[in-house]
């Protein structure tokens, strides 16, 4: 079972994030505009409900983006990249941590992931990661 | 329609799937999740008030947790967030009308889950590499550094555009490299739209449960090779959101 917002072996270059346990931006990005559409015109039974506006971020290159990139260049030290100074390294680490924090607003919820659906055939309380559904159908 | 509640549909599963009592749906308080069965299929639903607006962070998270939790034990077809029907009869109609197509799609997702590989360039590292390898960009950078924007606006825009284009090119290459890195370990791949201007990789993979460990190892290696340049994340296991084509199933 996937637990916790962000994990990964110490030193690993890969961060692991369980489904549904990630920050809101991940959730929005993962689920928005996905899934089977049951068209209201096909099924009269579809009810129009009030959906809060959820916008995925659309990336469009713009002058603002260009100027921001140039601004970064302006702020970068002219030090060959294989000779990073210690403050550079520390700065980089702090930046990464701040980014991580900004997108993980749902830490509490993420602690509580549990199997939402279990197998009606075999109960499935063994905590095993494998699927528990019987294959005889 | 005069009634106050409808049924919020999360997804479609094989009929032998049973929600656990702790499964929580959307709404306040969270709705109880039920399975409505029809033939070989069941729809996971919960009652939702029609007056109450949906789409709060908690609703989206509940929706995704239910579907991802389900995907770990059984195949599931996510139904688009926000789909609410009038009642149980409507669910039966829906499952009956598309029974075979849904059943076939579920059979394809048996023992498969989605993982999304999402990486973002370290801005300074990326720009540093670009300037080191591209004399034109380096020359522009020299004209920009230390000069106020009003004096160097044109150069700044040109430099920024070069960087932006380099990111796009590199992103395409990294997406291809990610797909190559897990070749043979995935059933399908589906590139996703970038969600940030520094997105380096954004690809969804459909993975057989038996291949999960090996797949994760391959992604770890892929990430390790780019450790300084890309902050790499692996999101999943997930329900197969990117492998359900919205219009292919219901016409």
């Amino acid at each position: 079972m996937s637990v916790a917002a962000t994990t990964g072996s110490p030193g690993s270059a890969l961060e692991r994030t369980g489904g549904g346990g990630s920050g809101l931006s991940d959730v929005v990005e993962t689920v928005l505009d996905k899934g089977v559409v049951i068209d209201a015109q096909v099924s009269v039974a579809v009810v129009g409900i009030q959906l809060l506006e959820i916008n995925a971020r659309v990336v469009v290159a713009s002058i603002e983006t260009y100027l921001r990139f140039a601004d970064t260049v302006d702020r970068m030290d002219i030090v060959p990249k294989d000779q990073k100074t210690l403050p550079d390294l520390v700065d980089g680490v702090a930046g990464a941590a701040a980014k991580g924090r900004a997108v993980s607003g749902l830490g509490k919820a993420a602690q509580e992931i549990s199997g939402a659906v279990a197998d009606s055939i075999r109960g499935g309380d063994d905590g095993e990661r494998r699927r528990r559904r019987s294959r005889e159908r | 329609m005069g009634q106050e509640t409808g049924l919020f549909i999360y997804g479609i599963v094989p009929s032998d799937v049973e929600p656990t009592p702790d499964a929580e749906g959307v709404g306040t308080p969270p709705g109880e999740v039920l399975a409505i069965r029809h033939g070989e299929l069941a729809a996971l639903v919960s009652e939702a008030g029609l007056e109450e607006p949906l789409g709060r962070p908690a609703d989206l998270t509940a929706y995704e947790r239910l579907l991802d939790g389900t995907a770990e034990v059984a195949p599931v077809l996510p139904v688009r967030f926000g789909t609410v029907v009038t009642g149980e009869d409507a669910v039966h109609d829906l499952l009956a009308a598309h029974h075979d197509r849904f059943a076939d799609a579920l059979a394809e997702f048996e023992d498969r889950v989605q993982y999304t590989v999402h990486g973002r360039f370290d801005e300074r590292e990326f720009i540093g590499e670009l300037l080191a390898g591209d004399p034109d960009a380096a020359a522009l950078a020299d004209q920009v550094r230390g000069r106020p924007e009003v004096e160097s606006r044109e150069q700044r825009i040109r430099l920024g555009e070069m960087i932006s284009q380099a990111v796009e090119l590199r992103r395409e290459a990294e997406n291809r490299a990610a797909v190559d890195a897990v070749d043979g370990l995935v059933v399908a791949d589906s590139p996703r739209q970038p969600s940030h201007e520094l997105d380096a990789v954004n690809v969804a993979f459909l993975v057989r449960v038996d291949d999960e460990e090996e797949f994760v190892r391959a992604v770890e290696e892929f990430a390790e090779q780019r450790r300084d340049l890309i902050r790499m994340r692996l999101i999943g296991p997930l329900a197969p959101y990117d492998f359900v084509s919205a219009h292919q199933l219901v016409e």
Side-chain angles (χ1 to χ4, degrees):
Chain A
M1 188 94 319
S2 55
V3 183
T6 298
T7 54
S9 353
S12 171
L14 184 65
E15 282 176 39
R16 300 286 307 274
T17 306
S22 35
L24 182 61
S25 62
D26 274 347
V27 174
V28 169
E29 211 184 305
T30 300
V31 306
L32 205 66
D33 296 333
K34 303 289 180 189
V36 177
V37 174
I38 293 153
D39 198 316
Q41 287 171 334
V42 176
S43 170
V44 289
V46 173
V47 182
I49 55 161
Q50 192 187 342
L51 273 183
L52 299 176
E53 194 176 334
I54 316 156
N55 289 319
R57 201 177 158 176
V58 179
V59 178
V60 184
S62 64
I63 301 281
E64 281 73 49
T65 312
Y66 300 160
L67 288 173
R68 206 186 51 72
F69 277 139
D71 203 40
T72 302
V73 173
D74 201 2
R75 283 184 282 108
M76 281 168 66
D77 295 331
I78 317 170
V79 177
K81 68 185 189 71
D82 52 347
Q83 290 175 26
K84 272 190 177 175
T85 59
L86 187 59
D88 269 346
L89 291 168
V90 171
D91 191 36
V93 170
K99 269 181 239 153
R101 208 171 303 132
V103 297
S104 56
L106 292 165
K108 179 75 168 46
Q111 307 297 316
E112 298 160 4
I113 299 173
S114 61
V117 172
D119 179 10
S120 63
I121 296 169
R122 268 206 271 160
D125 53 356
D126 53 5
E128 225 209 309
R129 177 63 193 79
R130 297 283 162 213
R131 294 186 178 227
R132 299 180 289 249
R133 277 178 67 249
S134 158
R135 309 207 48 157
E136 40 193 290
R137 277 197 283 140
Chain B
M1 257 163 249
Q3 60 186 97
E4 289 197 301
T5 63
L7 288 176
F8 185 103
I9 308 185
Y10 299 86
I12 294 156
V13 292
S15 58
D16 59 351
V17 169
E18 181 81 46
T20 53
D22 62 337
E24 290 191 343
V26 297
T28 321
E32 185 194 352
V33 180
L34 307 167
I36 296 180
R37 298 184 171 78
H38 189 101
E40 293 173 29
L41 305 174
L44 297 176
V45 304
S46 70
E47 213 165 78
L50 300 186
E51 316 295 309
E52 185 189 357
L54 289 173
R56 299 166 305 142
D59 297 327
L60 288 165
T61 307
Y63 167 88
E64 196 193 334
R65 282 170 66 185
L66 184 75
L67 289 173
D68 293 347
T70 304
E72 291 203 32
V73 293
V76 56
L77 298 179
V79 170
R80 186 159 296 197
F81 183 89
T83 304
V84 175
V85 296
T86 47
E88 245 182 82
D89 290 349
V91 177
H92 283 289
D93 288 350
L94 170 71
L95 295 181
H98 308 287
H99 184 278
D100 293 352
R101 238 185 297 183
F102 286 158
D104 288 350
L106 285 173
E108 278 181 37
F109 289 131
E110 182 78 56
D111 288 329
R112 279 151 198 202
V113 288
Q114 175 175 327
Y115 277 93
T116 302
V117 177
H118 193 180
R120 193 169 286 182
F121 289 117
D122 179 282
E123 187 174 38
R124 286 169 177 245
E125 190 72 27
F126 183 90
I127 292 175
E129 273 191 24
L130 177 71
L131 297 185
D134 184 336
D136 292 343
L140 273 173
D142 286 340
Q143 296 174 43
V144 159
R145 279 202 188 96
R147 284 178 65 198
E149 191 183 316
V150 278
E151 281 175 33
S152 58
R153 188 174 162 88
E154 203 180 306
Q155 290 90 337
R156 280 169 183 266
I157 289 172
R158 266 163 53 208
L159 177 61
E161 191 177 8
M162 284 175 92
I163 295 169
S164 180
Q165 285 169 351
V167 169
E168 277 175 43
L169 277 178
R170 186 66 184 266
R171 178 188 297 147
E172 282 171 30
E174 292 298 342
N175 274 341
R176 279 196 302 272
V179 170
D180 289 346
V182 296
D183 187 36
L185 299 172
V186 300
V187 180
D189 59 78
S190 174
R192 311 187 96 234
Q193 288 301 311
S195 60
H196 187 275
E197 56 234 19
L198 283 166
D199 256 20
V201 183
N202 205 347
V203 189
F205 293 102
L206 193 63
V207 182
R208 287 180 56 226
V209 173
D210 287 344
D211 294 332
E212 254 178 304
E213 281 176 30
E214 220 179 321
F215 167 80
V216 171
R217 266 201 301 277
V219 177
E220 270 169 0
E221 199 183 313
F222 176 74
E224 183 59 43
Q225 290 160 357
R226 292 152 176 79
R227 171 183 277 279
D228 294 330
L229 182 62
I230 301 176
R231 178 191 166 212
M232 200 82 70
R233 301 164 59 224
L234 180 62
I235 305 161
L238 305 168
Y241 303 99
D242 286 276
F243 299 95
V244 175
S245 153
H247 299 286
Q248 144 205 339
L249 291 161
V250 176
E251 287 169 351

